[in-house]
Every structure is written in structure tokens, then in C-alpha cells.
Amino acid sequence: MGSILIQAVSFLLVILVAYLFNKGGILKEQDGHVLSKIIVRITLPAAIIMGFNGASVNETFFLMIFLGLFSNILLVVLGEFLWRNKSAVDQSMLMFGISGYNIGNFTMPFVQGFFPTAVPFLGSFDMGNSLMLSGGTAVPVDKMTGQSKEAFSIVRTAQKLLSSPPFTTYLIMLALALSGFILPASVRSVVQLFSNVNAFLSMFMIGLYLELQIDRSSLTTVAKVLGIRYGFGAILAAAFYFLLPLPQIVRTILVLLAFAPFGSLSTINAIIYGSKSSLVGFLSSASILISLLLMTSILILLL
């Protein structure tokens, strides 16, 4: 329990320091863009490589891909049903807001400190999750709200996925795991250097982007979206944990994933579909702080 609380507090302190650096003018939000590029192109792929290296692939990996895809689809449809009488902009905000999980920049850094062997399961879930975040979610949103931004293209979605260093790293490491190939110790030692700073940089970037100001008129909407997101996250978590005949560590990971924060691309898509950037930015920031609290509590209860 002590180590869990120490890590959670450490993450919160890193986020707070970055937030204060931003508000104090030492760093700017634009500096977060630089960190984002470093994380996406270097440290996160390194963490994926270290996590997948030597992993034994079985049917659970492919089940996790399916669950990542299925969870997104279920929540998108639920979002449209719950707010079917609201405006198209509000509908799309809820559909994007309650689906999609921030795995690479939050959940993976948070979990890998406790379960290094869980990274392949996180990565497998994220492959299904990424399929929806990179274009799949926009298809039902367009159809259900009538806000067609551009025609869905399998080729364009595939290009987005393959241009993503983390997703490409998932594919390569999954292929290597299937073949039984293990990276040499000399290569692992170099990759480990980059992997070790992934958690710190990810939390620091979150702090630079943190948005804690919002007009009072939007608080009701924020409360409703967060309530739906985490309320049905709890239902999914219970289903994952009690209904799936999987090893304890996998069920624990699925429970944590059910309470992961909003995906970064979900917030971007919500803005593209007409939601106010200040509202969506606050929602994203609030979900990160709520998820940190909930995921810490879950680990204390389940470990």
C-alpha cells in the first residue's frame, strides 16, 4: 500500500510542478508540444519495447485487442442514446468524451511501475482502442449526429495508425513476440535508458496541459459527462473483473483501464466537432485527476 501511495503522490507532484511552471511563466503550454513529440517518438516506444520483449503471446492478447475495440463501440453507442434529444454538438461531445482511453501517456506509465509484465496486455488493449481513436469513432458519430466531417476511409485510418510510432511499435513487438525473438542485452540496456524517463515526461506533459478554469455555466455539463464516463466505467470494470475467466493480473489491468482518463484524440475530435475548447480541456484535465485517484484506490483494494 505504501509504494502505491508514494507513486501516486509522486505523479501528482510532477503534474503540480509542471502546472506551476506553466502558470508562473517558466514554461508554456507550447513546451508540452515538444515533450509530446519526445514521448510519442522516443520514450513511449521504448517503454513498449521493454514491456513486450520476451512476452509469451497467447489468446489473451487477442482478446484484449477485441475488448479495447468493443469497449469503445459500446460507449459511443451509449453516448448517442443517452443524449439523443440534445444538439448534435452535445451528442458528439459525449460520444467522444465517454469513449477512448488515454493509455500511452497515462495508464501505461502509471501501471508499469507496479506490473512491468502487464505492458503487453495494456498494449494489446490499446491496439483496439487506437483503431477507434484514429478514425473508427468518427464513423458512428457522423452517422448518429449527422455531422459528417469527411468520408470514412480505411486507407486513411490505416495511414494514421501506421504513422503513429507507438502503434507501429506495438505491431513490431507483437510480431517479434510471436516469433519468439528476444532483444540482445546490449540493445535492451540502451532502450531501458529512454524507457525509464517515460513516466516522468508523461506526467510533466500532463501538468503543462492541465486546465483548471471553467465558467460556471458549463459545470453542469462537465458533471454529467464525468458522471456518465465513470459510472459506466464502474459497470465495465465489474463485468471485466467478475465475468471474464482471466488471470488475476489481467482482470486487474482491465479494471484500471475502465477508469483510465479521456483519450487525447477524443478531446481533439470533440473540439473538431464543435465543442468549446475550454470545456473539453477542463473535462480532460478533470478526468486525469479523477482517474489518478480512482486507479490508486483500486490498486490499494486489489493488491
Side-chain angles (χ1 to χ4, degrees):
M1 175 177 166
S3 61
I4 296 171
L5 289 174
I6 289 172
Q7 175 163 304
V9 171
S10 299
F11 279 7
L12 187 59
L13 283 175
V14 173
I15 292 172
L16 178 61
V17 168
Y19 176 76
L20 293 176
F21 271 35
N22 182 10
K23 295 304 178 182
I26 300 173
L27 293 174
K28 299 179 180 179
E29 186 176 308
Q30 289 83 347
D31 296 313
H33 304 333
V34 177
L35 282 182
S36 176
K37 291 178 182 179
I38 294 172
I39 292 166
V40 170
R41 289 171 170 78
I42 302 175
T43 65
L44 178 55
I48 294 169
I49 290 170
M50 295 306 300
F52 264 88
N53 184 57
S56 178
V57 178
N58 52 42
E59 63 275 7
T60 303
F61 279 67
F62 299 99
L63 175 62
M64 293 293 280
I65 294 174
F66 168 76
L67 290 175
L69 189 66
F70 172 77
S71 300
N72 274 267
I73 294 172
L74 178 66
L75 291 173
V76 168
V77 174
L78 175 69
E80 192 278 334
F81 174 76
L82 291 176
W83 280 13
R84 59 191 180 279
N85 295 324
K86 291 186 176 287
S87 68
V89 171
D90 285 343
Q91 284 182 44
S92 61
M93 180 183 65
L94 186 66
M95 292 167 75
F96 283 119
I98 68 171
S99 65
Y101 302 93
N102 187 333
I103 296 176
N105 290 331
F106 184 88
T107 309
M108 191 173 292
F110 182 85
V111 170
Q112 70 183 104
F114 302 107
F115 305 117
T117 57
V119 172
F121 299 113
L122 286 167
S124 300
F125 187 95
D126 198 21
M127 290 176 75
N129 179 57
S130 297
L131 287 170
M132 297 300 292
L133 287 175
S134 297
T137 302
V139 178
V141 171
D142 285 342
K143 185 173 181 60
M144 294 174 182
T145 68
Q147 285 184 288
S148 180
K149 298 297 177 181
E150 59 182 16
F152 174 72
S153 167
I154 294 178
V155 173
R156 186 165 53 248
T157 299
Q159 287 175 337
K160 286 183 181 179
L161 290 170
L162 293 176
S163 65
S164 165
F167 189 84
T168 305
T169 306
Y170 285 143
L171 291 179
I172 293 172
M173 293 309 297
L174 184 60
L176 291 178
L178 285 168
S179 69
F181 180 81
I182 298 177
L183 294 174
S186 57
V187 174
R188 295 200 304 272
S189 65
V190 174
V191 176
Q192 186 72 58
L193 290 173
F194 296 102
S195 175
N196 287 341
V197 298
N198 183 61
F200 173 80
L201 291 182
S202 296
M203 294 305 119
F204 200 88
M205 180 191 70
I206 286 170
L208 288 178
Y209 285 137
L210 204 62
E211 177 56 64
L212 299 180
Q213 293 183 336
I214 189 174
D215 57 279
R216 290 188 177 183
S217 61
S218 300
L219 285 176
T220 301
T221 300
V222 168
K224 287 180 180 178
V225 174
L226 291 173
I228 293 170
R229 166 80 176 201
Y230 289 102
F232 282 93
I235 294 173
L236 272 179
F240 288 152
Y241 193 80
F242 294 109
L243 300 182
L244 295 180
L246 295 170
Q248 171 74 20
I249 185 172
V250 179
R251 289 184 291 126
T252 300
I253 293 304
L254 283 169
V255 171
L256 293 172
L257 284 166
F259 290 106
F262 297 167
S264 300
L265 285 175
S266 293
T267 59
I268 292 171
N269 284 327
I271 293 170
I272 291 173
Y273 278 69
S275 296
K276 291 191 298 183
S277 57
S278 59
L279 171 60
V280 177
F282 182 85
L283 270 171
S284 178
S285 298
S287 78
I288 287 168
L289 298 177
I290 292 171
S291 291
L292 180 60
L293 174 63
L294 290 176
M295 292 166 73
T296 301
S297 302
I298 289 165
L299 280 176
I300 292 172
L301 288 173
L302 297 182
L303 289 185

